[in-house]
Structure formats: structure tokens, C-alpha cells
Amino acid sequence: MKNTQLTHIHEELGAKMVPFAGYNMPVSYEGVNIEHETVREKLGVFDVSHMGEFLVSGPEALNLIQKISSNDAAKLIDGKAQYTCMPNADGGIVDDLIIYRMNEEKYLLVVNASNIDKDWNWISQHNTMDADLKDVSDDYSLLAIQGPKAVEAMQALTDIDLAEIKFYNFKIGDFAGAAHTIISATGYTGSGGFEIYVKNEFAEQVWKKVLEAGADFGIKPIGLAARDTLRLEMGFCLYGNDIDDTTSPIEAGLGWITKFTKDFINSENLKKQKEEEPKRKLVGFELTERGIPRKDYVIADADGNEIGVVTSGTQSPSTGKAIGLGYVKTEFSKPETEIFIQIRKKTIPAKVVKPPFYKG
């Protein structure tokens, strides 16, 4: 089990620690609902240093990225980031990731912790153009400072004008005494804020200064449980739940990051699937009676026939409703369609809704 640079601090704070993607990670400190509310109303800081980081550089860097990713990275300019996925050869997804363009010949790929080795092997395997690849996952720590007070609270830690960093843009500079820090207006919560990439040697210093700077604004450390409820309220996919090696980006509603203006791995088959419409689609749903949907629960029609499966579900702290994501046969995917979730021995009615569930 790996530790992050901050594991000892989480333990000192009394966090409930769990194994996650091979790391010892804080799942909660005070409780998921309190932490969730803190991010929605004020700001919180997450240690997400388990995420993977790869540098792709050299004259062939963009060509490699274009081959392995579904989005069009040629549209990136320096200081911009892009959400994308890596399709596999069978119609599924190797991983979803964020690409940062540092300059014309240097890109940072941020991948899911549980997929670091798999992604590295996949990208290396397809690096026929001999771009320069470097796995820097163990060199960097990543803090996500999320919430509506993030800009105001963190401005004291940097000379960079945080309010000027637009969504999915980033700047590199000093932050909390750490030089060459990537300050990225990205996140997984839907409540604004930043993701801060620092060298490991600065991680503890930056964590402490972030908490000090945010103290007057109500900042709290936040665990992975609230990270999950926050992302689910936005309808954001979680790899391993809502997308995986067997789900296509078209089925998953990720057509917006699947651009057929270029060739990439399995692009012809995915284009055909988009044109013909897939047999199943990932939808959001809300229960209309009491119950909580969980991963792998069966989704049925009014006659009890199985039409799909729940991939993520929770009781939404922000809306008070039981919400979820799941794959259903395409004919049941329109908003307001009635579906039924089989929870233990009960069949609970639900309706299809278009995410985000939280509109704040």
C-alpha cells in the first residue's frame, strides 16, 4: 500500500483511511454530508496525489496524443487543458484523462490512479512515432481546492490573478512558496476551484498554507466519499463504475469528446456506432419513492423485464433525492421515462433525468 506525502497528516487529523487504487487514502474526516456541503457552500481541499501524471514531449508528441485520444488535441493552445478518453480496439475505454498543453512539444497527461500501469503500457505500445514518454506520477502531489470561495481564499498564496484563469485553463507559477506549480481551473465537483500540481517536496508546506489561507473562509479537508457524491450530482463519469473497457464513449454520452475530424484508435467503429445509435445509453435517474440505488442493481421496465444496470448511485446531499447513473436500452433513455430499480426484494420507481442533478 502506497502513501501520499500527506498520509501522516490525514491520520493525525483522524481521517478514516481506506485502500484505494493501491494507496492509503482518506475517505472522510467529519462525515460525507458535512464535507459535501462545505465544498458546495464554501471550499474544501482534497489530497488526490494518487492520480497519475505522464509527460509526452518531442516533435511527435501531438501525433501520439491524437492517435490514442478521442478528443482533438490539435485545438489546444499553451495553457489550455482538455478532457478526453483513450478508446481501446474493442469499442470500450482504456481510461478517461485530462491533457494539458505546456507548449507545442510538451504535454501533461493526468490519468486515473487505478489505471497508471495499464495506461502507461497502452500509450507505450502505440508510440510507434517515438515520442518522448516519462512517467512522473511518483514525483508530484496533487491538491484539489474546490468550492465557490476558492478564488478569494487562495489569492493570498500567489501573484497570479486566479480570477483570470478560465475553466479548463491553467497557469504555471509560484503558489504557497512552491515554484513552478501548475494551477489549473479544473476539478471533479461542479463547484469551481483549482487543482494544484506541486513537486512532492512542497506538498506538506502547500497543504498547510492552503488550510491557513482558507481558515477565514471555512475551508475543511475533504475525503474521497464526498468527492464521489459531488461528482455524481454533476453526472460526471467515474472510471470503473460508469465507464470501463466494455463501455464505448458513445454509449456513455461522451460523444462531445469524441471528434471524428481525425483518425484515432477504433475511430471508424465508433463513428459507425454514433451514426447507427448504440443499443444502450448511460442515463441519469431519480427515484420517485424511497430507496437508495447502488452499483450493479438491476434496472427494469414496468413489466419487470431487465433493461439495464445501475453504475453509480447515492442519496444526494444537495438535492435530498436518491440519484444514480446507469445503462439502459436506448428506447428507455429519454428524459421523464419511467424505469424501476430493483433494490433487494423491492422494485422502486424512478424517472430518467438529464444530469447535472445539482444545478446550483
Side-chain angles (χ1 to χ4, degrees):
M1 194 69 61
K2 286 183 176 180
N3 290 325
T4 74
Q5 300 296 309
L6 303 170
T7 298
H8 65 287
I9 293 178
H10 305 315
E11 289 171 341
E12 287 165 15
L13 289 169
K16 181 183 176 186
M17 306 296 288
V18 297
F20 183 81
Y23 281 81
N24 189 20
M25 297 296 290
V27 70
S28 66
Y29 300 82
E30 292 181 72
V32 60
N33 286 356
I34 294 170
E35 292 168 34
H36 181 109
E37 210 170 276
T38 297
V39 174
R40 285 278 181 253
E41 295 177 3
K42 298 171 186 172
L43 79 161
V45 56
F46 305 76
D47 176 13
V48 282
S49 304
H50 58 314
M51 300 292 282
E53 292 90 15
F54 305 153
L55 281 173
V56 184
S57 54
E60 295 293 328
L62 180 60
N63 287 336
L64 174 58
I65 288 167
Q66 290 288 69
K67 181 180 179 181
I68 60 168
S69 67
S70 63
N71 211 334
D72 189 357
K75 292 186 174 175
L76 287 172
I77 58 173
D78 295 359
K80 279 192 82 72
Q82 183 183 76
Y83 178 62
T84 187
C85 75
M86 291 190 289
N88 64 25
D90 306 314
I93 297 171
V94 178
D95 202 4
D96 62 333
L97 65 154
I98 297 178
I99 298 171
Y100 293 82
R101 174 168 150 151
M102 306 302 194
N103 61 49
E104 196 178 355
E105 293 191 1
K106 188 177 182 183
Y107 297 81
L108 177 70
L109 277 52
V110 179
V111 303
N112 283 298
S114 53
N115 291 336
I116 292 172
D117 291 343
K118 180 179 81 165
D119 291 356
W120 177 260
N121 292 336
W122 178 259
I123 296 168
S124 300
Q125 176 191 332
H126 290 94
N127 186 19
T128 53
M129 58 287 293
D130 209 24
D132 186 35
L133 286 178
K134 193 175 182 187
D135 182 356
V136 294
S137 306
D138 290 338
D139 301 335
Y140 282 86
S141 294
L142 174 56
L143 304 185
I145 304 161
Q146 298 283 292
K149 302 280 188 188
V151 171
E152 194 181 356
M154 294 299 114
Q155 189 58 70
L157 297 179
T158 182
D159 290 335
I160 291 169
D161 188 345
L162 297 179
E164 281 193 351
I165 307 178
K166 293 176 183 170
F167 193 47
Y168 266 77
N169 283 251
F170 67 95
K171 300 266 189 184
I172 299 175
D174 287 4
F175 182 86
H180 306 296
T181 296
I182 298 171
I183 306 167
S184 170
T186 47
Y188 200 42
T189 65
S191 281
F194 303 94
E195 292 182 305
I196 308 292
Y197 298 81
V198 296
K199 284 285 187 80
N200 283 340
E201 65 207 75
F202 295 114
E204 193 169 334
Q205 166 189 315
V206 172
W207 172 270
K208 287 176 178 173
K209 289 194 175 184
V210 164
L211 285 172
E212 284 169 15
D216 291 342
F217 299 87
I219 197 170
K220 289 181 178 180
I222 313 294
L224 292 179
R227 182 172 158 87
D228 193 50
T229 55
L230 288 157
R231 71 89 194 169
L232 184 47
E233 285 186 347
M234 300 310 297
F236 295 154
C237 290
L238 174 65
Y239 196 90
N241 281 42
D242 316 299
I243 50 176
D244 60 30
D245 287 299
T246 70
T247 61
S248 88
I250 307 303
E251 292 173 335
L254 297 176
W256 62 281
I257 62 162
T258 310
K259 304 289 171 59
F260 300 110
T261 51
K262 58 162 199 166
D263 287 330
F264 57 87
I265 292 165
N266 207 35
S267 56
E268 279 189 27
N269 288 329
L270 291 174
K271 187 178 182 183
K272 188 179 175 189
Q273 186 183 66
K274 186 173 186 178
E275 288 165 353
E276 294 176 356
E277 195 166 53
K279 292 184 172 62
R280 62 174 185 168
K281 286 184 179 177
L282 185 68
V283 298
F285 62 85
E286 291 176 354
L287 268 58
T288 51
E289 291 181 13
R290 288 189 64 172
I292 299 178
R294 299 292 186 202
K295 178 174 161 59
D296 297 330
Y297 284 3
V298 168
I299 302 175
D301 64 12
D303 298 322
N305 301 308
E306 185 173 337
I307 57 164
V309 64
V310 175
T311 55
S312 292
T314 195
Q315 182 74 23
S316 160
S318 300
T319 68
K321 296 175 180 178
I323 61 170
L325 297 173
Y327 284 93
V328 295
K329 290 180 179 177
T330 298
E331 57 264 39
F332 293 91
S333 64
K334 287 197 175 97
E336 300 301 318
T337 301
E338 187 173 47
I339 56 175
F340 296 84
I341 313 299
Q342 293 182 357
I343 302 177
R344 299 183 185 88
K345 293 182 180 177
K346 292 183 178 178
T347 303
I348 308 294
K351 66 175 179 179
V352 174
V353 297
K354 189 177 180 182
F357 303 97
Y358 171 73
K359 310 280 200 299

